[in-house]
Amino acid sequence: RFVLSKGHGVPALYAVLAHCGYFSEEELKNFRVLGSPLQGHPANRLLSCIEASTGSLGQGLSVALGMALSARLAQAHNKPWNVYVMFG
């Protein structure tokens, strides 16, 4: 799992998600266009591939901590995952 707490760095995240096939690379041309799901900060209500809406600096750290604690519980059921957070 990856949480981008540094929300204004979302253009790089969108480029990676498009490259991985979550949406077409053509959609990148609609970045910050009114009505586009590609807004200036990550928003999980607009894109299902984004797990947490972030924007305020440091906000994603608490989200990632919750995910990491959940991963620890999931490990007991043999379904572990890793959590990474980028913040600035």
Side-chain angles (χ1 to χ4, degrees):
R1 312 254 169 145
F2 176 75
V3 177
L4 179 66
S5 184
K6 188 175 183 174
H8 58 274
V10 79
L13 178 61
Y14 289 153
V16 169
L17 291 172
H19 180 75
C20 291
Y22 286 96
F23 51 85
S24 72
E25 291 184 12
E26 187 70 22
E27 184 69 25
L28 292 172
K29 294 179 182 177
N30 296 320
F31 175 61
R32 296 191 76 175
V33 172
L34 188 61
S36 169
L38 305 180
Q39 290 301 306
H41 286 91
N44 65 342
R45 66 182 173 80
L46 299 175
L47 285 173
S48 61
C49 56
I50 294 179
E51 292 190 292
S53 297
T54 59
S56 299
L57 294 178
Q59 174 187 7
L61 186 58
S62 59
V63 171
L65 178 61
M67 288 179 175
L69 291 172
S70 295
R72 186 181 290 176
L73 292 173
Q75 188 174 19
H77 300 286
N78 295 321
K79 297 181 180 180
W81 65 79
N82 294 317
V83 180
Y84 302 92
V85 61
M86 175 181 273
F87 64 97

